[in-house]
Amino acid sequence: MDNTGQGHSGTGDAGPGGPGDRRPRPREAGGGILMGRPFGVPVYVAPSWFLVAALITWVFGGQLDRVLPDLGGVRYLVSLFFAIAFYASVLVHELAHTVAALRFKLPVRRIQLQFFGGVSEIEKETETPGREFVLAFVGPLLSLVLAGLFYLGVLAVEPGTVPGVLLAGLTVSNLLVAAFNLLPGLPLDGGRMLRAVVWKLSGKPMTGTVAAAWVGRALAVTVLIGLPLLTHSDGFGGGSRDFGGVDSLTDALLAAILAAIIWTGAGNSLRMARLREHLPGLRARALTRRAVPVQAATPLSEALRRANEAGARALVVVDGQGAPTALVREAAIGGVPEHRRPWVAVGSLAQDLREGMRIPANLAGEDLLDTLRATPATEYLVVEETGEVFGVLSTSDVERAFVAAMARPS
């Protein structure tokens, strides 16, 4: 499945994001415990993973008690090993997406293992439907390969032993991961494959996204209704069960969670696709506020008077030679009561210009957002190619432009 960024996820995770989620982030969230950096990409384990690992340990331990009753309490250690091995398989699934993305020169922000699987947060869209298809397919393909390898292990060990049961469980779990992710609806990998096919046939990536997202919503409704019915009617070979028991409630809860994840992910994919369609119109020059230069010792009331006379909405602190050195923060101005403004120097409300806070006026679209993300700040100094100050860009204006872009029809 995919998540924030153009994220591809392993076993059913679809958070807020979807294809092309490039909203400016004030700072990079850690996302949990950092486990390592394979291929230079940080891998995080979210706190929710521990809850699921405990649940898997408890459920699988109960299964082991019926299959291998002589294990006693050791069965929970074996179950914990299974939970860790299962999520290691999910990590391999995500690394397949990551390696493919890096091969296509697409930046990957991070991999996160969380509640219902994993997410590879890929920050850019693929350029062709063929690459989109490959990028989505490699995850389920690796899960199928793992299932085959574990099945060969089952054949090589003695039945009814701990290794045999573990290998059988990993075989089935990887088959389920592959099968679930191949379902043809966003935000699942199968949905991205369907998107690629429709994109190829129509020539329009937005058409592919719309088709795959609506199939994803239909899939969410099917899961919500069909999963409890399937388990109740002996669909998994466990014997028919009556509605109303603990097992039925558990099935209904699981179906509701999965359906909510899929529905939300499909909706996010649609919203982010609409945003991406309007992204080229997001231009630094059009969003920049006119600014007036002031000395650091200038009283705030006087600086605001000059700005009002000039029709400006921003203040730039300059040195004795007129070179900009800092930007007066809008939030800091709002925090100063009007009666104190004659006694407060603008320099005390300013943020020093650091590397990355000077941006060209001709930046637009993805290039603009990538630049803002590289150096998080509340305001940026916008300059012409000649080095002349054009004005100040506020991240609040960028965010409002995003909201407006998402509200416009495609």
Side-chain angles (χ1 to χ4, degrees), residues 56 222 246-247 298 352 363:
I56 292 175
T222 302
V246 174
D247 288 339
T298 305
D352 292 338
L363 279 181

PDB file of all heavy atoms in Angstrom, residues 56 222 246-247 298 352 363:
ATOM      1  N   ILE A  56       0.051 -10.430  18.136  1.00  0.00           N
ATOM      2  CA  ILE A  56       0.472 -11.598  17.348  1.00  0.00           C
ATOM      3  C   ILE A  56       1.059 -12.660  18.263  1.00  0.00           C
ATOM      4  O   ILE A  56       0.786 -13.864  18.113  1.00  0.00           O
ATOM      5  CB  ILE A  56       1.493 -11.175  16.272  1.00  0.00           C
ATOM      6  CG1 ILE A  56       0.825 -10.305  15.208  1.00  0.00           C
ATOM      7  CG2 ILE A  56       2.118 -12.408  15.614  1.00  0.00           C
ATOM      8  CD1 ILE A  56       1.783  -9.751  14.176  1.00  0.00           C
ATOM      9  N   THR A 222     -16.480  -3.671   0.531  1.00  0.00           N
ATOM     10  CA  THR A 222     -16.485  -5.135   0.415  1.00  0.00           C
ATOM     11  C   THR A 222     -15.829  -5.792   1.624  1.00  0.00           C
ATOM     12  O   THR A 222     -16.330  -6.789   2.153  1.00  0.00           O
ATOM     13  CB  THR A 222     -15.760  -5.561  -0.872  1.00  0.00           C
ATOM     14  OG1 THR A 222     -16.398  -4.958  -2.001  1.00  0.00           O
ATOM     15  CG2 THR A 222     -15.774  -7.065  -1.025  1.00  0.00           C
ATOM     16  N   VAL A 246     -17.418 -13.767  20.674  1.00  0.00           N
ATOM     17  CA  VAL A 246     -16.202 -12.957  20.715  1.00  0.00           C
ATOM     18  C   VAL A 246     -15.489 -12.983  19.376  1.00  0.00           C
ATOM     19  O   VAL A 246     -15.005 -11.960  18.881  1.00  0.00           O
ATOM     20  CB  VAL A 246     -15.270 -13.463  21.844  1.00  0.00           C
ATOM     21  CG1 VAL A 246     -13.943 -12.726  21.807  1.00  0.00           C
ATOM     22  CG2 VAL A 246     -15.939 -13.313  23.201  1.00  0.00           C
ATOM     23  N   ASP A 247     -15.430 -14.176  18.748  1.00  0.00           N
ATOM     24  CA  ASP A 247     -14.756 -14.277  17.457  1.00  0.00           C
ATOM     25  C   ASP A 247     -15.441 -13.407  16.410  1.00  0.00           C
ATOM     26  O   ASP A 247     -14.780 -12.759  15.589  1.00  0.00           O
ATOM     27  CB  ASP A 247     -14.739 -15.736  16.983  1.00  0.00           C
ATOM     28  CG  ASP A 247     -13.777 -16.588  17.795  1.00  0.00           C
ATOM     29  OD1 ASP A 247     -12.874 -15.997  18.414  1.00  0.00           O
ATOM     30  OD2 ASP A 247     -13.936 -17.820  17.795  1.00  0.00           O
ATOM     31  N   THR A 298      15.243  49.860  14.851  1.00  0.00           N
ATOM     32  CA  THR A 298      14.004  50.586  14.562  1.00  0.00           C
ATOM     33  C   THR A 298      12.879  50.108  15.465  1.00  0.00           C
ATOM     34  O   THR A 298      12.654  48.903  15.589  1.00  0.00           O
ATOM     35  CB  THR A 298      13.604  50.381  13.086  1.00  0.00           C
ATOM     36  OG1 THR A 298      14.679  50.765  12.241  1.00  0.00           O
ATOM     37  CG2 THR A 298      12.366  51.192  12.748  1.00  0.00           C
ATOM     38  N   ASP A 352      17.497  35.408  12.299  1.00  0.00           N
ATOM     39  CA  ASP A 352      18.653  35.595  11.429  1.00  0.00           C
ATOM     40  C   ASP A 352      18.523  34.759  10.172  1.00  0.00           C
ATOM     41  O   ASP A 352      18.052  33.609  10.224  1.00  0.00           O
ATOM     42  CB  ASP A 352      19.947  35.217  12.153  1.00  0.00           C
ATOM     43  CG  ASP A 352      20.281  36.189  13.278  1.00  0.00           C
ATOM     44  OD1 ASP A 352      19.781  37.336  13.218  1.00  0.00           O
ATOM     45  OD2 ASP A 352      21.025  35.800  14.194  1.00  0.00           O
ATOM     46  N   LEU A 363      11.186  30.190  -8.386  1.00  0.00           N
ATOM     47  CA  LEU A 363      10.853  28.827  -7.975  1.00  0.00           C
ATOM     48  C   LEU A 363       9.350  28.596  -8.070  1.00  0.00           C
ATOM     49  O   LEU A 363       8.546  29.485  -7.781  1.00  0.00           O
ATOM     50  CB  LEU A 363      11.313  28.563  -6.539  1.00  0.00           C
ATOM     51  CG  LEU A 363      12.777  28.220  -6.317  1.00  0.00           C
ATOM     52  CD1 LEU A 363      13.021  27.964  -4.831  1.00  0.00           C
ATOM     53  CD2 LEU A 363      13.195  27.007  -7.120  1.00  0.00           C
TER      54      LEU A 363
END
